[in-house]
Amino acid sequence: MIQWLSQFHPVMQALIGTLFTYAVTALGAAMVFFFKSINKKVLNGMLGFAAGVMIAASYWSLLAPAIEMSAEFPGADWIPAVVGFLLGGAFLWIVDKTLPHVHPGFKKGEQEGVKSSWQRSVLLVLAITIHNFPEGLAVGVAFGAVAAGIPSASIAGAVALAIGIGIQNFPEGAAVSVPLRREGLSRRKSFVYGQFSGMVEPVAGVLGAASVILFRPILPYALAFAAGAMIYVVVEELVPSSQEDEDHNDISTIGAMLGFAVMMTLDVALG
């Protein structure tokens, strides 16, 4: 697969990688054709697993390379990583506070961001779409780093990141489509809305790859930006959602440990 990918332009590689992550989101959304609800313990474990994958990817695939690349540029090595990381979190915070959306656990009438009269189903999809943007960006920047000639970057590492993001996208797809089904939508509509939340990833991936190829000096900042945005999602949404059931929150903790181990293994083995 890595040899096959290497024949394409890095932007096309990013598109292929993020189309894969989108496809896994759609696969997760397809669970609505088989289940009308998800066991709370299973959902907690899946959300915890997703959190673990994103935490590991943020360091192994994004922050560590950002710090290493910073040595090529004037100034302290830690500045691009810290600045980019904080900007990524700030960006997600601003989007979270402005774009109207609701999370699956919200009661009817509750929403975040600017007040809107949009249908609850649309607001549910927007919540996951917001969170999927930094994931696509991370994959795109990883492929762009290879084209930029960064010694620590490799197609294998970018593929490992895409696989890790794809794995954790499965529960996210299900976490959108199944609640929509409970809200009364048909299985087909629930699936369509659920998979739609992942469509932003190819867009973000192409933008990320193209940006770092055209503007190489921003690469360390871009990697750290994606990491900061993903950590924001983990702390703001995934961890609290996975810990809502106090009787079974150990399951989400175990899931997080497993997710971190899987992503770390992928990055070290392939990257």
Side-chain angles (χ1 to χ4, degrees):
M1 178 182 180
I2 294 173
Q3 282 187 330
W4 176 75
L5 268 178
S6 62
Q7 66 183 310
F8 295 102
H9 187 276
V11 174
M12 181 59 69
Q13 293 171 353
L15 177 61
I16 294 170
T18 48
L19 282 174
F20 165 75
T21 62
Y22 155 70
V24 182
T25 303
L27 189 62
M31 292 297 101
V32 75
F33 291 111
F34 306 98
F35 307 100
K36 191 172 182 178
S37 63
I38 300 178
N39 182 279
K40 188 63 176 177
K41 290 189 287 186
V42 173
L43 181 61
N44 285 352
M46 290 194 301
L47 291 175
F49 185 89
V53 167
M54 291 180 72
I55 293 171
S58 295
Y59 175 73
W60 294 98
S61 299
L62 300 171
L63 279 176
I67 295 170
E68 185 178 341
M69 293 170 199
S70 299
E72 300 181 11
F73 304 101
D77 294 354
W78 55 268
I79 291 177
V82 172
V83 172
F85 183 83
L86 293 178
L87 285 176
F91 172 77
L92 256 290
W93 180 80
I94 292 170
V95 173
D96 218 27
K97 296 300 180 184
T98 54
L99 190 65
H101 62 283
V102 300
H103 298 291
F106 281 18
K107 297 177 182 178
K108 288 191 175 181
E110 292 182 338
Q111 66 173 263
E112 290 186 348
V114 177
K115 294 298 180 183
S116 170
S117 59
W118 294 349
Q119 290 184 352
R120 181 176 169 85
S121 57
V122 174
L123 297 175
L124 277 167
V125 173
L126 279 175
I128 305 300
T129 302
I130 292 171
H131 296 168
N132 280 343
F133 182 85
E135 297 168 10
L137 182 66
V139 175
V141 170
F143 279 106
V146 180
I150 303 301
S152 61
S154 67
I155 293 180
V159 168
L161 178 60
I163 293 173
I165 295 296
I167 290 172
Q168 66 91 38
N169 273 357
F170 184 87
E172 285 190 354
V176 179
S177 63
V178 173
L180 290 176
R181 175 61 177 159
R182 286 203 307 269
E183 301 245 343
L185 272 70
S186 67
R187 283 189 169 89
R188 185 181 65 82
K189 282 189 175 180
S190 298
F191 167 73
V192 170
Y193 286 160
Q195 59 86 35
F196 184 78
S197 67
M199 287 186 176
V200 70
E201 292 195 10
V203 176
V206 168
L207 287 175
S211 297
V212 298
I213 291 171
L214 294 174
F215 308 103
R216 190 176 184 276
I218 72 168
L219 182 53
Y221 294 92
L223 286 167
F225 182 95
M230 290 208 296
I231 291 297
Y232 183 93
V233 170
V234 171
V235 177
E236 169 73 9
E237 177 58 27
L238 292 180
V239 170
S241 296
S242 68
Q243 297 284 334
E244 285 179 352
D245 187 355
E246 295 182 0
D247 294 332
H248 304 291
N249 55 19
D250 56 329
I251 295 175
S252 58
T253 303
I254 294 170
M257 297 292 291
L258 290 174
F260 189 97
V262 168
M263 185 65 235
M264 181 172 61
T265 301
L266 284 171
D267 194 272
V268 175
L270 296 180

